Amino acid sequence: MTDRRILVLRTALLWILLELLAAAQVRSAAGNLVLWEWARAAVTPVVWVGNAIGSVVGGTVTGVSDATNLIIDNNRLRLELETAQAMNLILVEDMAAHRELDSLTAMIPDLAELAVPARTTYRDLQRGRMIVEVGGDRRIPPDASAVANGGVVGRVIRSQGRRCWIELITNPVAAFAVQSPDGRVRGLDVGSDSGELENQFVSRRAELLRGDPLVTSGADGIHPPGLPVGRVISVRESDRPFLDVRAQPSAAPATARVVLLLDQWRTRVDESDLEP
């Protein structure tokens, strides 16, 4: 830095110092020191900017907090809505099950008091199995007849606690005695992989037409007599001494919500046989 510049800088600093000393002695019309008013005028913009920044930051923090609270409330309301929808579906399902149970009870009025209602919990139609759960602690023995909405659906093959395993009538190993409602045509229905029932041992002289109903005969000792089984869908001649008869099951295990388990119907039949 040159001597001239140093001289100018010192002169400016000296002038500023003198102005400050003068301002410290002089008062404004309001009675305040001029130096104090200068300082306040210089600090006021800084304070304003600081307040503005603080206001912006505070507003941002408040906005973020409000947004977070809104997200939390939205998630809570969504969870409550999903819970309400799930409860509504459960109630609708329970009402449908009660209506189905009433229909089942009306289908077997003579055996209704002996029937044990059970709720369907699992089904495997390809393997011809179903799992149901009874409402009480009553143990259901094997070979108890299972009736669903529409007719016979199968028989109990195993039970453990409140859970029962049912072999569906469409299972290829399932077989049960059937007849026409008037008892003139008798046979043995066997399940198949196609879901149809193969009616075996039907005499060639039997008068059986497509659409005719089939009911249980009770000869197998498993299913009570007179329960709907299915309807004939085809009657054909065969090389054997019997007709080739196929039937469509009346019950629909794929949609059955409840079933009735009949394990004491034989006692009722035996008691009726003893009556004079």
Side-chain angles (χ1 to χ4, degrees), residues 193-242:
D193 293 329
S194 64
E196 298 176 352
L197 302 176
E198 299 177 359
N199 201 321
Q200 301 178 355
F201 308 114
V202 178
S203 173
R204 285 178 177 271
R205 294 178 296 178
E207 296 180 0
L208 199 61
L209 300 176
R210 181 177 180 180
D212 286 348
L214 295 174
V215 298
T216 54
S217 67
D220 52 25
I222 297 176
H223 304 288
L227 297 179
V229 173
R231 288 190 176 274
V232 176
I233 57 177
S234 67
V235 180
R236 297 187 180 93
E237 296 285 345
S238 66
D239 297 335
R240 298 174 298 172
F242 305 102

Side-chain angles (χ1 to χ4, degrees), residues 13-147:
L13 291 175
L14 180 61
W15 179 78
I16 292 173
L17 180 60
L18 291 174
E19 287 290 334
L20 292 175
L21 290 175
Q25 301 297 325
V26 178
R27 293 181 178 274
S28 64
N32 298 324
L33 293 176
V34 174
L35 180 61
W36 170 250
E37 292 187 354
W38 285 1
R40 187 171 62 181
V43 171
T44 299
V46 177
V47 173
W48 182 85
V49 170
N51 291 334
I53 293 174
S55 177
V56 171
V57 172
T60 302
V61 172
T62 302
V64 171
S65 177
D66 292 342
T68 303
N69 292 333
L70 287 175
I71 293 174
I72 294 174
D73 290 341
N74 183 57
N75 292 335
R76 177 179 57 80
L77 292 175
R78 182 180 301 173
L79 181 60
E80 291 179 355
L81 177 60
E82 292 176 354
T83 302
Q85 290 175 340
M87 292 297 297
N88 182 63
L89 291 176
I90 293 174
L91 291 176
V92 170
E93 186 69 15
D94 286 343
M95 290 179 63
H98 281 295
R99 288 195 296 267
E100 193 171 320
L101 184 59
D102 292 340
S103 176
L104 280 171
T105 304
M107 188 175 66
I108 52 171
D110 295 336
L111 301 173
E113 63 182 28
L114 302 178
V116 179
R119 191 70 177 265
T120 302
T121 59
Y122 174 80
R123 56 175 66 90
D124 187 348
L125 302 182
Q126 292 183 347
R127 298 180 58 192
R129 297 292 177 86
M130 176 188 288
I131 298 178
V132 299
E133 189 169 324
V134 298
D137 296 330
R138 183 172 174 179
R139 184 181 180 278
I140 306 299
D143 285 339
S145 178
V147 181

